[in-house]
Amino acid sequence: MIETAIHPGLLVIAAGLALPFLRGGPRAAVALAAPLAAAALVLFVPEGSHWQAEYLGLPIAPYAVDRLSRLFALVFAVMAFGGALFALNNASRLEMPAAFVYAGSAIGATFAGDLLTLFAFWELMAIGSTLVVWSAGTPAAWAASRRYLAVHLFGGVLLLAGIAGHVGATGSTLFVRFALDSTAHWLILAAFLVNAGAPPLSAWVADTYPEASWSGTVFLSAFTTKTAVYVLLRGFPGTELLVWVGLWMVFYGIVFALLENDMRRILAYSIVNQVGFMVAGVGLGTEMALNGAAAHAFTHILYKALLLMSAGAVLHATGRRKCSELGGLFRTMPLTTVCGTIGALAISSFPLTSGFVSKSMISQAAADLHLAAVWLALAAASAGVFLHAGIKFPWFVFFQTDSGLRPPDPPLNMRLAMLVFAALCVGLGVVYRPLYDLLPYPADYAPYTGAHVVAQLQLLLFSGLAFFVMLPMLRRTPTITLDTDWFYRRAAPAFWRAVESAARARAASLADFLRRPAARAYGWVVRHHGADGSLARTRTTGDMALWVAVLLAAYLLVSYL
């Protein structure tokens, strides 16, 4: 079959490489058609390993398809289409090609049946995403892209070391489930968690994503962290450590999002929070939990893109991103307000939205395992999500006190992209069975039971009440929040400057200490070997003959002794 010969990820990458040479209508046609063609290939390609080869004597499987890889590859292709539609009027000639390389690499990573192919696409993702940030063209974006690349190259080194150790120990390159029984497997897990945004390195998400352009952040939100969720699902399902790592991410994201004033940094911290739910689901390890983590990754890509599209539309129209500078935009940006609100409801798991039919599976898995503490933590976290993303973002950006700004809704392509993703967020919340049919395990789960719906509405109602009761305390001021990136953005350079200063001072002291004896030694050399030194004086032939005779006599005397 022809579709088995075409790799969807490579198709998207090829389209990205062609985009710099296209203009106008042809550029738009390729940008929209390539992801749709990739999505069609993903849907219709049969399961199994379609490409096999060898590299350095090791077998590789660059195109291996199963239910889990199909689910992630499909949503990545849909995201590439939505991001391209939203970014069509972005003037940058670099952003969309880089984003397509980024998206195609993510699709390639999901179809990687071996660790070598995974590593190749993993590093290509890092390059593509760095260029997406860089394409914003601001000093802040350039600085953030360098920090971003440093973190992800560090993660790549961990992954490569882990792969080398695994291949050396087992002789196999196949990407299979790993046990935490060796240093190599710990290194692989650490590399995956770096890309997932797990603390203490999670600050790269909020440090980098908001510095991209108004459309670049939409692309960035989808691929890196969700590819990390995919590889955790495939490589480390049921690893108990991931439950606690996930809960740490959940509450870390909530706390920092509640403190944040920048609307896109709020949503960036929300990415860490939501990925925490998925990581916890991977750690729980049951079929229900793994289905929930996979489904939540799928729906999260859609509603997070919608939220960042609405934030990008506001930034595009106003040039402002601080909540303290926004408000009252619902008057002139009604469609953006509605779409942003739908995204906020979806991320809060409001009934009849996509978030409700996915996140509740993870909580149900914790209940089925009788893990009361985990279930309570996830319930509390759901309330926190509604506080920072479900209410805080739309309230301070679109409502609250009137900022006096009167921008219109964004251009047509941006409105269409938001409408498509808003329809998906609502559609999957109402007709969820097609999503469940794509999950890696049979999904015998009914989200719309009376107990689920009432419990979730109660949770959202009381967290909403808490928000408005505490509204005076939650009003934002022109401040910034300090995160763990402070240690390598501020503390580490300051420490290095202090070390350098101390080293310079010590070098100067040592130079002073050595200067006097060095001067004496230099004077002695000049006196003896300089132009006027004793060894540089002119000697007569008679003197030289005399000294030769003396040396020969001494040699003769020594030879007879």
Side-chain angles (χ1 to χ4, degrees):
M1 298 174 67
I2 181 106
E3 63 265 16
T4 64
I6 303 175
H7 193 298
L10 296 181
L11 174 64
V12 175
I13 292 174
L17 296 178
L19 286 175
F21 305 100
L22 301 174
R23 297 290 187 275
R27 178 176 181 269
V30 170
L32 297 179
L36 292 178
L41 290 172
V42 170
L43 281 174
F44 294 109
V45 65
E47 292 187 14
S49 183
H50 300 291
W51 292 0
Q52 278 134 14
E54 283 193 2
Y55 178 72
L56 299 178
L58 297 171
I60 59 174
Y63 192 10
V65 183
D66 62 9
R67 293 174 66 88
L68 183 63
S69 60
R70 191 193 306 275
L71 175 76
F72 277 83
L74 176 61
V75 74
F76 287 160
V78 171
M79 182 61 233
F81 169 79
L85 179 59
F86 189 75
L88 279 180
N89 58 345
N90 190 316
S92 172
R93 304 300 303 172
L94 173 62
E95 180 179 285
M96 197 178 297
F100 270 48
V101 171
Y102 180 30
S105 301
I107 295 173
T110 64
F111 285 134
D114 65 278
L115 295 171
L116 299 181
T117 302
L118 174 67
F119 177 75
F121 282 118
W122 193 266
E123 293 301 279
L124 193 56
M125 272 201 309
I127 295 171
S129 53
T130 300
L131 292 176
V132 170
V133 181
W134 191 15
S135 66
T138 64
W142 167 243
S145 68
R146 286 183 296 162
R147 294 189 295 270
Y148 175 89
L149 186 61
V151 170
H152 287 279
L153 290 180
F154 170 70
V157 169
L158 293 178
L159 180 59
L160 182 60
I163 291 172
H166 173 78
V167 173
T170 65
S172 173
T173 60
L174 294 180
F175 186 12
V176 295
R177 179 174 179 172
F178 304 115
L180 290 179
D181 55 0
S182 68
T183 302
H185 294 163
W186 277 99
L187 289 173
I188 292 173
L189 176 62
F192 291 170
L193 290 176
V194 167
N195 272 29
L201 293 179
S202 53
W204 65 261
V205 180
D207 174 34
T208 307
Y209 287 3
E211 301 307 331
S213 71
W214 49 267
S215 56
T217 307
V218 176
F219 287 109
L220 292 169
S221 69
F223 302 115
T224 299
T225 51
K226 262 58 76 183
T227 303
V229 172
Y230 165 79
V231 293
L232 287 172
L233 281 163
R234 185 168 294 283
F236 295 95
T239 302
E240 184 180 352
L241 173 66
L242 295 178
V243 176
W244 310 110
V245 172
L247 291 178
W248 184 6
M249 295 172 67
V250 163
F251 289 101
Y252 165 91
I254 289 172
V255 170
F256 276 92
L258 286 173
L259 295 173
E260 187 55 59
N261 183 36
D262 186 310
M263 64 176 176
R264 296 204 297 174
R265 282 177 65 89
I266 292 172
L267 298 177
Y269 279 119
S270 179
I271 292 174
V272 179
N273 161 263
Q274 294 294 292
V275 172
F277 281 94
M278 304 167 208
V279 171
V282 175
L284 291 173
T286 64
E287 290 188 359
M288 174 74 77
L290 298 178
N291 273 345
H296 200 50
F298 191 103
T299 60
H300 173 264
I301 289 173
L302 302 178
Y303 61 64
K304 182 60 67 176
L306 178 58
L307 283 165
L308 284 166
M309 284 178 185
S310 64
V314 170
L315 180 62
H316 178 267
T318 67
R320 303 184 186 185
R321 46 192 273 191
K322 302 286 188 182
C323 291
S324 53
E325 299 172 353
L326 297 168
L329 300 183
F330 73 94
R331 293 179 174 85
T332 55
M333 301 183 73
L335 187 140
T336 304
T337 302
V338 170
C339 291
T341 303
I342 290 174
L345 293 175
I347 197 175
S348 305
S349 301
F350 196 86
L352 301 181
T353 65
S354 57
F356 179 79
V357 303
S358 59
K359 189 188 294 182
S360 58
M361 298 177 74
I362 301 174
S363 299
Q364 184 62 47
D368 292 343
L369 291 170
H370 306 290
L371 299 175
V374 175
W375 184 87
L376 287 171
L378 293 174
S382 295
V385 172
F386 192 47
L387 282 175
H388 77 263
I391 301 181
K392 177 182 175 178
F393 167 73
W395 176 259
F396 286 120
V397 172
F398 298 112
F399 302 103
Q400 72 154 346
T401 305
D402 189 1
S403 62
L405 300 173
R406 294 293 183 269
D409 271 318
L412 177 61
N413 64 295
M414 298 169 68
R415 298 199 303 272
L416 288 176
M418 288 191 289
L419 286 172
V420 168
F421 276 65
L424 287 172
C425 287
V426 175
L428 288 175
V430 176
V431 185
Y432 53 86
R433 183 48 58 182
L435 172 60
Y436 285 6
D437 290 341
L438 290 171
L439 296 178
Y441 302 101
D444 183 17
Y445 177 68
Y448 288 106
T449 64
H452 284 155
V453 173
V454 171
Q456 187 65 16
L457 289 176
Q458 287 176 334
L459 195 69
L460 297 178
L461 174 64
F462 282 100
S463 59
L465 177 63
F467 176 85
F468 287 105
V469 169
M470 297 188 298
L471 187 58
M473 299 171 57
L474 293 173
R475 291 192 184 280
R476 302 316 307 140
T477 55
T479 57
I480 60 172
T481 52
L482 296 180
D483 202 340
T484 54
D485 60 335
W486 179 87
F487 289 99
Y488 58 82
R489 293 182 63 178
R490 293 289 185 267
F495 174 76
W496 176 251
R497 286 192 296 268
V499 170
E500 185 181 26
S501 177
R504 288 181 183 276
R506 182 59 60 88
S509 176
L510 182 63
D512 290 339
F513 176 77
L514 296 176
R515 187 172 290 115
R516 186 171 298 176
R520 288 198 298 268
Y522 178 75
W524 183 89
V525 170
V526 169
R527 284 196 304 274
H528 290 83
H529 298 276
D532 298 325
S534 58
L535 297 178
R537 296 172 187 168
T538 302
R539 302 292 181 179
T540 64
T541 304
D543 289 340
M544 296 302 296
L546 175 64
W547 282 109
V548 168
V550 170
L551 289 173
L552 289 174
Y555 177 76
L556 182 64
L557 180 62
V558 170
S559 66
Y560 280 106
L561 292 178

